[in-house]
Amino acid sequence: MVNIKGGTRPPWVGLGAAVWLQIASGNAYNFPLYSHSLKSVLGFNQQQLTMLGVANDIGENVGLIPGLVCNKFPPWVVLLIGSFACFFGYGVLWLSLSQTVQNLPYWLLWIALCVATNSSAWFSTTVLVTNMRNFPLSRGTVAGVLKGYGGLSAAVYTEVYSALLRNSSSKLLLFLALGVPTLSLLMMYFIRPCTPSLGDDSAESYHFLFVQVASIVLGVYVLTTTILEDIFSLNVLVSYTFLGIMVLLLMAPLAIPLKMTFYPSNRGKLSVPDVSDQDNVSADKSEPLLTPSSSSANLGSFNEGDEISEVDMLLAEGEGAVKKKRRPRRGEDFKFKEALVKADFWLLFLVYFFGVGSGVTVLNNLAQIGIAQGLHDTKILLSLFSFCNFVGRLGGGVVSEYFVRLKAVPRTVWMTCTQVVMIITYLLFASALNGTLYAATALLGVCYGVQFTTMVPTASELFGLKHFGMIFNFMSLGNPLGAYLFSGLLAGFLYDNEAAKQHSATCLGPNCFRVTFLILAGVCGIGTMLSIVLTMRIKPVYQMLYAGGSFRLPQSSNH
């Protein structure tokens, strides 16, 4: 892999390509668009449907293998695997829903949905890990931008579903099986590791601001056009025009490398060795005080340390070539197994699990929640959740980045605040008061998005970027675990019981989900308390990392 100097065009081209792949990685958010068709065409009950929703979330969030692979292979390999998973998984679902192949067993469809949405983990892991390493001093902003576009993906897919696919669930699954892998193959060349720049660059903040503004414009545009298409009966030409403008807005981040091409900056930039070549670069260029012995020559790069045998290490320590290797401190690079024994790791996991795990329960059942409260067309509800999810993801990155640099405020403060709001939101859902459905959906979307964006940079700041792919994807398991417990076992079971009382397959009225919402409010209460404990514990870490108002890489870190 060719290493590209930080601050030049390729990292920004890679970020522009990452936006498209991050949108593509939101394919799991399409489940509400075709779930009702699966239920009606294939004859599933609500509990079977919610268990498919669990499969949807397991596939999307179980990314331990992608996290491991992204540390061993270049990004294009990871993207290629994701493309195959997307093609085969959604291909099987399309064959079943279109009745091209009839009577496929339920377990096969469950596995196919897992495989299909697991492509999301391969895509998002690649673009997130690569771009956070390319911009290590702006990790909160990068996480906010990429996760923000990921949050917009449901609204983008809804636009495609309405304008291009004419509300056909079968065509949507075919589009996911063919269109998403094609996009990945086209973009894989541009997603590559670059040598990050650690020098101050005022232009970089303006570039990120431009991308953030472009994403906001896209979000407002997609939400507006979705509402217009729902209210008015627009002809095909107008729908295609809306779709074309949306594609142009998605290309906006590429204006940055174009600007760098036509108006290049000659100011030199400081840089450090690329993360992919740390083993080949000496961390210390000064003349050694001791002549290297045979054992220290075998040591290689001590800072990398992953491939050093215990015998070599003991010999080197005996000859005084190195000091005994200590365990990493918070803020430095942790191996995955080292992070697993830390209390902060499990506190962050539980806080994320309670916040996102409860939120995804509402997302998976959003269509049924809307129908139960008398809303027959749930596309606007999904689009609203998607837009507010995007606002939460982007805003969570921007706000947490601002306050962490201003006052070294731990990012988990915002996880605490949003979980308090989520408690109120679930009580609103449970009340089922007239006019509160849209407000509750919007509030939940924002809070759900903040949980995502806050967890990502927090994990990297506590445990480093070197094994971030594995650590981040383990944290993401909180999503499918919550979906299984709160959606599959709880919400689906209670919904079917209430529907049975009404002697109908479709439950109507506030009692369909009321108990579920009250339990979710209690869950977020526990998450709030744990988040406060975590914030108090990691406050000294943030004071160390951001003492001067900007992020400082720990001396022993190898980014």
Side-chain angles (χ1 to χ4, degrees), residues 1 21 25 62-87 115-130 133 180-181 184-185 187-189 191-193 469-470 472-473:
M1 184 66 67
L21 282 174
S25 72
V62 177
L64 294 179
I65 296 177
L68 181 64
V69 172
C70 77
N71 264 15
K72 304 291 184 181
F73 297 95
W76 69 266
V77 174
V78 190
L79 294 176
L80 187 63
I81 296 172
S83 300
F84 279 115
C86 192
F87 173 74
V115 172
T117 55
N118 193 237
S119 64
S120 172
W122 293 89
F123 295 148
S124 62
T125 297
T126 306
V127 299
L128 193 61
V129 171
T130 304
R133 287 174 175 173
V180 173
S184 175
L185 294 176
M187 294 295 157
M188 66 170 55
Y189 172 77
I191 308 295
R192 48 178 166 164
M470 281 288 291
F472 156 71
N473 278 298

Side-chain angles (χ1 to χ4, degrees), residues 406-428:
L406 181 66
K407 295 289 185 180
V409 176
R411 298 184 195 270
T412 48
V413 164
W414 309 107
M415 297 182 84
T416 306
C417 294
T418 50
Q419 290 214 21
V420 171
V421 177
M422 289 175 82
I423 295 173
I424 300 170
T425 302
Y426 291 134
L427 295 177
L428 276 178

Side-chain angles (χ1 to χ4, degrees), residues 168-184:
S168 169
S169 297
S170 178
K171 289 180 181 178
L172 175 62
L173 290 174
L174 185 61
F175 174 81
L176 294 173
L178 299 178
V180 173
T182 301
L183 177 65
S184 175

